Amino acid sequence: MAVTTPADPAGPAAPATGQRSGATPPASARRRAGGGARHWRWPAVVPFFAFMAVCFGLPACTLAYNAFTVVDPATGADHYSLENVRRSLSGAYATGLAGSVKLSLLSAVLATVLGTVIGQALLSSRNGALRKAAVSASGVFANFSGAPLAFAFIATLGTTGTVTRLLHLKSTGFSLYTFTGLVLAYLYFMVPLMVVTVLPALDGVRTQWREAAASCGATKAQFWRHVGLPVLMPSLLGGAVLMFGTAFASHATAAVMTGSSVPLITIQIANALSGNVLVGQENLALAMSLNMVVIALLVMAIQIPLQRRSNRWLG
């Protein structure tokens, strides 16, 4: 019979080796391994930062530099000045900036309300095919803007449009080529965009919350007033800010429909870039563009924290 003696090295040595192979590596080794992994991740994002620097950073720096540069018409020499920014915020240019802000605010509020109501109606619908078709159509309509949308509205609601003649809209004083007509055109693609934006947030309202509220005797109106809307408010405000930014940056639809009859900052920038400025004010369009960039940055500064707060509740 074979007997293993204490002096046999094969007995106690085997379990010790197995214990070392399954043990967790020391913290210092894990930090070195993690640091090495992070070190090798940086080259993967270099193309992204190079793209951002060339396509966004360089044009932004050029815009800011020329916005604060004034060219002397007599000598052709340029010098730094706030004159372009001052002119961009006064007179007709200030009216255009105010018109764009007013149009964007009104369109954003209406699109937020209508999009939220339509989105909740889609979620409440028991017809799955209808819901999928409506969501797909919203994705398509949200991207239908610009000159094609303007021509579609002119053919439908213009002076000799089909609906205008059928419903005798001219007798009511309605005109598509006004501020009201622009709001209608903007809502055509902003409402579907709001539906697509707000649907994930509406879908995040859990059924257990409704059941808990109902078990406590709360009605549907009380649930939405005290639970649903407070939870959804960051998402709704974030969507409204997104709608504002979308309307504020839109240009082609307004340019084709109304031209310069409705003062908007985007149309004034296009006119200035095409040479419709006084001598020595060549950089005025860049100063107006700088104003739009500042407003866009403010919109982003509001939208990002709202999105984070929404994800905290509904994520």
Side-chain angles (χ1 to χ4, degrees), residues 61-182:
C61 293
T62 303
L63 185 149
Y65 173 79
N66 290 325
F68 292 102
T69 302
V70 176
V71 180
D72 190 345
T75 62
D78 55 5
H79 60 278
Y80 294 107
S81 174
L82 295 177
E83 186 63 20
N84 290 328
V85 178
R86 186 189 65 79
R87 287 174 178 167
S88 68
L89 296 175
S90 61
Y93 303 116
T95 304
L97 182 61
S100 291
V101 172
K102 180 181 176 183
L103 175 64
S104 303
L105 278 176
L106 182 59
S107 302
V109 171
L110 293 176
T112 301
V113 174
L114 295 176
T116 303
V117 172
I118 294 174
Q120 181 59 35
L122 291 176
L123 286 178
S124 303
S125 174
R126 297 181 179 179
N127 192 333
L130 175 62
R131 176 180 171 180
K132 292 180 181 178
V135 172
S136 301
S138 298
V140 174
F141 293 148
N143 293 283
F144 186 69
S145 61
L149 176 64
F151 285 122
F153 264 78
I154 292 173
T156 307
L157 293 171
T159 305
T160 58
T162 305
V163 177
T164 303
R165 287 180 296 175
L166 287 177
L167 302 181
H168 304 287
L169 293 180
K170 291 183 66 175
S171 60
T172 63
F174 172 79
S175 176
L176 181 65
Y177 313 109
T178 60
F179 183 87
T180 304
L182 277 183

Side-chain angles (χ1 to χ4, degrees), residues 4-314:
T4 303
T5 63
D8 189 359
T17 303
Q19 185 177 0
R20 283 197 300 270
S21 62
T24 304
S28 58
R30 293 199 303 271
R31 284 196 296 271
R32 286 195 298 272
R38 287 194 295 270
H39 176 74
W40 285 106
R41 290 173 189 167
W42 275 104
V45 297
V46 168
F48 169 75
F49 285 109
F51 174 81
M52 294 290 293
V54 173
C55 296
F56 293 95
L58 186 59
C61 293
T62 303
L63 185 149
Y65 173 79
N66 290 325
F68 292 102
T69 302
V70 176
V71 180
D72 190 345
T75 62
D78 55 5
H79 60 278
Y80 294 107
S81 174
L82 295 177
E83 186 63 20
N84 290 328
V85 178
R86 186 189 65 79
R87 287 174 178 167
S88 68
L89 296 175
S90 61
Y93 303 116
T95 304
L97 182 61
S100 291
V101 172
K102 180 181 176 183
L103 175 64
S104 303
L105 278 176
L106 182 59
S107 302
V109 171
L110 293 176
T112 301
V113 174
L114 295 176
T116 303
V117 172
I118 294 174
Q120 181 59 35
L122 291 176
L123 286 178
S124 303
S125 174
R126 297 181 179 179
N127 192 333
L130 175 62
R131 176 180 171 180
K132 292 180 181 178
V135 172
S136 301
S138 298
V140 174
F141 293 148
N143 293 283
F144 186 69
S145 61
L149 176 64
F151 285 122
F153 264 78
I154 292 173
T156 307
L157 293 171
T159 305
T160 58
T162 305
V163 177
T164 303
R165 287 180 296 175
L166 287 177
L167 302 181
H168 304 287
L169 293 180
K170 291 183 66 175
S171 60
T172 63
F174 172 79
S175 176
L176 181 65
Y177 313 109
T178 60
F179 183 87
T180 304
L182 277 183
V183 172
L184 288 178
Y186 278 25
L187 288 179
Y188 183 86
F189 63 89
M190 289 175 61
V191 170
L193 179 60
M194 185 63 191
V195 171
V196 176
T197 303
V198 80
L199 266 180
L202 292 174
D203 200 20
V205 178
R206 301 171 186 172
T207 308
Q208 293 86 346
W209 299 348
R210 304 172 191 267
E211 295 174 351
S215 64
C216 294
T219 62
K220 290 185 178 179
Q222 290 173 329
F223 166 77
W224 283 109
R225 187 175 60 183
H226 297 290
V227 180
L229 285 180
V231 171
L232 290 173
M233 192 54 66
S235 298
L236 298 181
L237 292 177
V241 172
L242 179 64
M243 295 302 108
F244 176 87
T246 302
F248 190 70
S250 296
H251 165 68
T253 304
V256 174
M257 281 182 54
T258 63
S260 300
S261 60
V262 177
L264 296 176
I265 187 67
T266 52
I267 296 177
Q268 290 175 341
I269 290 175
N271 292 336
L273 289 176
S274 61
N276 188 17
V277 293
L278 299 177
V279 177
Q281 299 182 7
E282 291 82 2
N283 293 333
L284 183 60
L286 300 178
M288 289 189 286
S289 302
L290 184 64
N291 297 335
M292 290 193 66
V293 170
V294 172
I295 293 178
L297 292 177
L298 291 176
V299 169
M300 292 176 60
I302 297 173
Q303 200 268 343
I304 291 176
L306 288 174
Q307 190 65 37
R308 289 179 179 174
R309 187 176 180 85
S310 172
N311 293 335
R312 187 183 308 170
W313 280 96
L314 303 172

